[in-house]
Amino acid sequence: MSSHSLLLLPGDGIGPEVMSQVRRVIDWMGANRGVSFDVSEDLVGGAAYDAHGTPLHDDTLEKAQNADAVLLGAVGGPKYDGLDFSVKPERGLLRLRKEMDLYANLRPARCFDALAEFSSLKPDVVGGLDIMIVRELTSGVYFGEPRGIVKEGNERVGINTQRYTESEISRVARSAFELARRRGNRVCSMEKANVMESGVLWRDVVTETHQAEYPDVELSHMYADAGAMQLTRWPKQFDVIVTDNLFGDLLSDIAAMLTGSLGMLPSASLGAPMAGGKPKALYEPVHGSAPDIAGQGKANPCACILSFAMALRYSFDLGDEAGRVEGAVEKVLADGARTADLMQKDGGSPVSTAGMGDAVIAALDAGL
Ligand code: NAD
């Protein structure tokens, strides 16, 4: 038996509901694959605020810093809307990302064949789609100085600054090249080198990092606006896309929506390698706490289960186990199980959160 430390932070709203289904998958791994996890659980977001008056207690942050991987459910909810900005549930998540220095945000866009009908694109354009967007998460125009709204003569001027250092670019490029080696071995880097100096530097540094350390990976470059067009025209041409914070924000949302429902989308945020070579890592579904359906057993747990699959692959080097989990979700969908968010207007009765968990466990059993 191997042991890996995993911190679960279920959070608020549907977070604890979807996380309880992940717990079943974790238990299944221990019982059937000889992979044991040293699992601990703690509070984040509104739940942490209720208990401690802060959305992320220092002790929780320390546990997160020391865990091999952190899996978060969701934070937030209307109950906390009136709180001061400094203690809002979302601040807990932002602090976690910042303190762990998670600079590479991984957003896979994978289209399960059974859900191709949910895409806004034609099934032959999205069927079998499997791409990964790597977005730089801790720098760029969202953080650059100077910023603000200043008065110039008779009018106000809004200012934000796009700023990237060489080391910020090269470290996220490395994350993308490493990922590509484990996938289709191709990286497309996107910026606006035609109109932005920061884009020129981005292109230069990605090229230098490629030549020095990853010459075996195929590298191409694209202007980000052309990339947006290509993503909707023929997304299957891409394997890994690496881009900055602002363009990545937009491009990853476009790519995600090619594949259908929010309830299916996992994500990871990776930082610098720890001792042993694995990166610091936080895994989380893309969706929020869904207060409109919280507590009703309606939430789709697949995004959280697939986030755990990413942890298996990227933090624990358990690619085979990750493939089993992804394969189980794919089988369940192909067999027709649908939570409410995956139902077409005309039809059938949805399965509950636990029902979806039952189906995933049964599919894992069937794959033994
Ligand atoms: P949301 O993602 O919570 O919900 C948007 C819609 O998608 C809702 O109709 C919801 O019912 C549905 N949905 C989301 N996840 C689902 C799932 N797993 N299964 C079925 N349906 C699902 O976004 P929102 O409504 O804009 O935000 C609600 C709260 O969540 C806010 O407080 C917001 O700040 C917070 N939020 C947190 C995160 C996070 O924790 N990472 C991300 C986004 C929003």
Side-chain angles (χ1 to χ4, degrees), residues 14 74-77 90 93 262-263 284 287-293 299-300 341:
I14 62 168
V75 295
E90 292 76 6
L93 177 54
L262 204 48
E284 54 181 321
H287 63 70
S289 60
D292 53 337
I293 57 166
N300 183 352
D341 56 307

Side-chain angles (χ1 to χ4, degrees), residues 19-297:
M19 192 65 83
S20 63
Q21 302 310 313
V22 175
R23 277 232 176 229
R24 299 175 66 190
V25 177
I26 294 170
D27 292 346
W28 185 93
M29 287 289 163
N32 296 285
R33 298 291 302 165
V35 186
S36 72
F37 293 88
D38 176 6
V39 181
S40 52
E41 189 168 314
D42 212 331
L43 303 172
V44 71
Y49 176 81
D50 287 341
H52 306 300
T54 168
L56 181 71
H57 196 279
D58 289 345
D59 290 350
T60 313
L61 175 61
E62 195 181 329
K63 282 186 208 166
Q65 299 272 28
N66 292 323
D68 291 330
V70 181
L71 181 64
L72 183 137
V75 295
K79 179 180 168 191
Y80 308 103
D81 281 351
L83 289 181
D84 185 76
F85 190 68
S86 62
V87 288
K88 275 191 184 290
E90 292 76 6
R91 300 300 298 173
L93 177 54
L94 293 177
R95 181 169 176 225
L96 203 52
R97 288 180 183 150
K98 183 169 185 296
E99 298 279 341
M100 291 174 76
D101 197 14
L102 303 171
Y103 55 78
N105 183 219
L106 277 51
R107 292 272 300 264
R110 178 175 178 189
C111 186
F112 293 97
D113 284 344
L115 298 183
E117 62 190 321
F118 278 87
S119 176
S120 50
L121 300 186
K122 297 188 194 95
D124 69 308
V125 176
V126 288
L129 178 71
D130 182 5
I131 61 180
M132 176 75 81
I133 305 221
V134 180
R135 165 190 172 194
E136 200 290 324
L137 199 59
T138 53
S139 185
V141 74
Y142 292 160
F143 296 92
E145 298 283 347
R147 64 185 298 161
I149 300 174
V150 298
K151 198 87 194 243
E152 272 183 20
N154 288 330
E155 61 177 355
R156 290 170 302 159
V157 181
I159 300 170
N160 290 94
T161 304
Q162 169 84 331
R163 183 179 190 279
Y164 271 109
T165 65
E166 287 183 280
S167 55
E168 286 168 343
I169 300 168
S170 60
R171 67 183 187 173
V172 75
R174 269 186 211 103
S175 301
F177 288 126
E178 292 288 341
L179 275 168
R181 278 185 175 160
R182 305 165 77 142
R183 297 172 40 96
N185 215 34
R186 290 182 295 124
V187 170
C188 181
S189 170
M190 295 189 186
E191 28 55 22
K192 291 277 287 176
N194 49 342
V195 287
M196 297 169 75
E197 286 76 7
S198 58
V200 173
L201 184 72
W202 182 281
R203 189 176 283 222
D204 285 351
V205 173
V206 171
T207 304
E208 289 156 16
T209 308
H210 173 250
Q211 283 168 355
E213 299 171 51
Y214 301 92
D216 54 302
V217 180
E218 192 183 312
L219 172 65
S220 59
H221 302 273
M222 208 177 264
Y223 297 136
D225 50 344
M229 281 195 268
Q230 292 300 328
L231 263 177
T232 48
R233 191 187 72 85
W234 189 242
K236 283 190 257 187
Q237 68 185 280
F238 298 112
D239 176 25
V240 175
I241 292 171
V242 63
T243 189
D244 72 16
N245 202 344
L246 174 61
F247 297 138
D249 199 359
L250 308 181
L251 293 170
S252 63
D253 273 7
I254 292 175
M257 278 303 109
L258 301 180
T259 69
S261 167
L262 204 48
M264 294 299 304
L265 296 170
S267 79
S269 300
L270 307 181
M274 301 183 287
K278 292 279 157 247
K280 281 192 182 167
L282 171 71
Y283 300 87
E284 54 181 321
V286 169
H287 63 70
S289 60
D292 53 337
I293 57 166
Q296 300 173 35

